[in-house]
Amino acid sequence: MKVCIVGAGAMGSLFGGRLAHAGTDVILYDIFAEHVDAINREGLSIIGLEGAVETVRPAATGDIHGTAGADVYIFFVKANATAGAASAIALEAPEGALAVTLQNGLGNGDILAAEFGSDRTVVGVTSQGATFLGPGRIRHGGTGPTHLATISGRNDILAPLVKALGCAGIETHVEPNIDDLIWSKLVINVGINALTALTGFINGQLAAYGGTKELMELLVDEAVAVAKARGVTLAYEDPVARVLEVAHKTAQNRSSMLQDVDRGRPTEIDVINGAIVAEGRRLAVPTPYNRAVTLLVRALDQKRSREKGPGESP
Ligand code: KPL
């Protein structure tokens, strides 16, 4: 089986690196030329959970034609790049190849399904964590299960991918109620990501200050009300307690949204808190706090893109 990772940032490099290490034929695709060059020149260094450094040698490319011929395409690009990447990859992918999203937020599966068809589109959620350290270098920050399902419900076709991921040390399960798990992860991101992006706090600091802790609870309560109106069953009893637990367990993390702000890249606010606002509007559930943080993070995004000016790369 050949796997193409579309978007080889921290998480894409982790999945691609682990798969390559276990003997799967992997190609990492990314537009960050220094990262691609470093991997092809010196390999990909992964600082493991216990601190040991392992260097693996997946092939990497910045050329879209280099992605041709894979059996599985796993998308890890930022949400605002999904549509462009999906339409470009669909031209290279063989008939019958699977398109998998393990990205944050809502809506990526629908974008992939529009290009690849619902039979070939796989949505999922992962509890793995990784941080990008620099070209050719990542840190594996946390581990946990990964769950997958096809949009069409034809989950038998997932067996080879589940096996390959398992062999790579990425515990993976097929989960028919994947929407519940995607929402369960979304609620966590709703409570943590925007607040860290706005304050510059690492995850663990959110609970240490009254203002951020209270706002976290308000954001999560709104998301839970929207999830209930949509008929979602969350994977935990007490959502606020769960978000606080994740913030505690990932205390030293700079959330993915804070890392985007750090690096001057557009954030995923519209598929996280913005998605709660959009779903809330559709289901007549008020979401004023999520709307407020969405507007603030969008303003940060706009400020950064104005400062950067046209034509500058991220
Ligand atoms: O998923 C995450 C992210 O940063 O996007 C959390 C769980 C908040 C960990 O940082």
Side-chain angles (χ1 to χ4, degrees), residues 3 15 18 51 53 65 75 99 116 124 145 152 168 178 180 190 206 287 313:
V3 174
F15 273 66
R18 300 288 326 155
V53 183
H65 302 307
F75 283 74
F116 293 88
S152 66
I178 196 74
D180 289 350
V190 162
L206 291 177
T287 57
S313 57

Side-chain angles (χ1 to χ4, degrees), residues 29-49:
Y29 169 69
D30 204 281
I31 57 169
F32 185 14
E34 283 99 319
H35 186 46
V36 167
D37 292 346
I39 293 169
N40 285 330
R41 222 178 30 243
E42 288 147 29
L44 171 70
S45 291
I46 304 177
I47 303 180
L49 292 168

Side-chain angles (χ1 to χ4, degrees), residues 104 185 188-189 192-193 203 246 250 253 255-256:
N104 273 341
K185 172 98 193 289
I188 309 265
N189 292 129
I192 295 178
N193 293 32
N203 295 354
V246 173
T250 60
N253 268 30
S255 80
S256 56

Side-chain angles (χ1 to χ4, degrees), residues 9-19 44 46 128-130 138 140 142 170:
M11 291 293 288
S13 294
L14 176 69
F15 273 66
R18 300 288 326 155
L19 283 165
L44 171 70
I46 304 177
Q128 297 287 344
I138 60 160
H140 189 184
I170 299 171

